[in-house]
Amino acid sequence: QVEAPLLVTFCELFSVPEACKKLHIGRTQFYKLANTGKIKVCRLGKRTLIPSTAIAAFIETLPDFKAETAGA
């Protein structure tokens, strides 16, 4: 009997300052999003880490920019 290999998908983990930089937001806004569950975070000991997949998932929830609201 042959077992199928275990497939593991790895994603990059970011620190809070790195995630804030990627999202162009401040720490306070980031923690508001994390505390309300809008962006998922992981705890590793005392460190708070954010998976790249969580950042991508959060971005997908953002409304699309509409040109007519920009005065066009």
Side-chain angles (χ1 to χ4, degrees):
Q1 183 179 16
V2 178
E3 290 185 32
L6 178 62
L7 297 176
V8 178
T9 303
F10 291 97
C11 69
E12 195 170 358
L13 295 173
F14 298 104
S15 66
V16 172
E18 291 170 329
C20 290
K21 188 173 182 180
K22 291 202 171 290
L23 292 168
H24 301 281
I25 60 174
R27 291 176 65 90
T28 301
Q29 182 63 33
F30 176 82
Y31 280 111
K32 284 181 184 177
L33 294 169
N35 289 335
T36 57
K38 292 183 180 179
I39 189 164
K40 289 191 165 203
V41 299
C42 302
R43 297 283 296 178
L44 183 60
K46 292 183 178 184
R47 293 194 69 196
T48 300
L49 300 171
I50 303 87
S52 57
T53 53
I55 293 173
F58 170 72
I59 291 170
E60 288 295 318
T61 67
L62 297 175
D64 290 333
F65 177 78
K66 299 200 182 308
E68 61 269 12
T69 61

